[in-house]
Amino acid sequence: MVESANPTDASPVWVWVKTPALDQVLIGKARKLSTRSSLLLLKVKLHDSEKDSVESDNHDVNWGWTHGTIAAAEGSDSQSSSEISVTVLDELSMHNNKSANLPADSFETGDIVMDNVYENDDYPDDLVALTHLHEPAVVMCLKKRFEAGKIYTDDGPKLIALNPFKECPHLYSKSVMEDYWKR
């Protein structure tokens, strides 16, 4: 069970939920994950400012995880709850704004994992600094940094570079090269 440090604190507890587990509860079966081509199609449509015309039922992005909050822990008492109530808050999910009761062992089975919450979407430049290190945390960190024009992210001693498919003069200008030559 997830509890807030302060019982009167109303701030939500953000989590990632595996979409197959959510699908099983809400529609009775797990759906296939989205293919690369459908993800690319959605990205192009969103990039071309057609966000309002994208129907969530027709263009649902199912990459394996969906974002939400813990609404409550259901059960006979607060120490032994039998279900975890999650509210999905993910515009790209067909389950957006829906609530589902998942089994209490969803954290142990990995169907629910904690989210990393950063003020002002200031995601770290090294994945090692993520508080909760798991697949959706890595993907979201890379996505948010990419959207901010930060195509390089460290993973300890390794460097991850995402292809921006555009010119990056702020990264490859003459002044930047001169700064590196002076080192």
Side-chain angles (χ1 to χ4, degrees):
M1 183 170 114
V2 176
E3 294 183 35
S4 176
N6 180 357
T8 60
D9 186 8
S11 61
V13 176
W14 287 93
V15 294
W16 288 101
V17 182
K18 279 189 178 175
T19 51
L22 199 57
D23 289 344
Q24 195 66 42
V25 170
L26 292 174
I27 61 176
K29 65 177 184 172
R31 296 172 296 127
K32 290 172 132 180
L33 296 180
S34 295
T35 62
R36 284 181 128 186
S37 59
S38 64
L39 293 174
L40 180 60
L41 173 68
L42 181 68
K43 182 180 180 206
V44 168
K45 287 190 178 224
L46 292 177
H47 185 321
D48 292 340
S49 300
E50 295 178 16
K51 187 174 182 177
D52 294 335
S53 68
V54 176
E55 298 288 330
S56 63
D57 291 339
N58 296 331
H59 298 322
D60 172 48
V61 176
N62 181 10
W63 60 281
W65 295 92
T66 192
H67 209 209
T69 60
I70 301 267
E74 307 285 334
S76 57
D77 62 44
S78 63
Q79 295 300 322
S80 62
S81 59
S82 59
E83 293 181 328
I84 300 171
S85 180
V86 176
T87 301
V88 176
L89 299 171
D90 189 339
E91 291 179 2
L92 296 178
S93 171
M94 71 181 279
H95 302 305
N96 190 33
N97 293 320
K98 293 181 184 175
S99 293
N101 292 326
L102 288 120
D105 67 346
S106 294
F107 279 102
E108 287 82 21
T109 61
D111 289 338
I112 299 177
V113 294
M114 297 301 294
D115 185 20
N116 295 296
V117 179
Y118 295 99
E119 290 183 29
N120 303 321
D121 280 343
D122 189 23
Y123 285 80
D125 59 358
D126 192 335
L127 296 176
V128 173
L130 290 171
T131 304
H132 306 288
L133 185 59
H134 41 63
E135 178 188 8
V138 170
V139 171
M140 186 54 58
C141 182
L142 293 173
K143 178 182 183 292
K144 292 292 188 178
R145 289 183 52 76
F146 180 83
E147 289 171 352
K150 300 173 182 177
I151 63 169
Y152 296 114
T153 305
D154 291 319
D155 182 18
K158 298 175 189 87
L159 177 68
I160 298 171
L162 300 177
N163 188 342
F165 298 103
K166 64 181 179 183
E167 295 283 330
C168 296
H170 67 287
L171 293 176
Y172 303 112
S173 67
K174 186 173 181 172
S175 64
V176 172
M177 287 190 289
E178 288 172 355
D179 287 344
Y180 277 96
W181 290 337
K182 292 176 186 176
R183 289 184 179 188

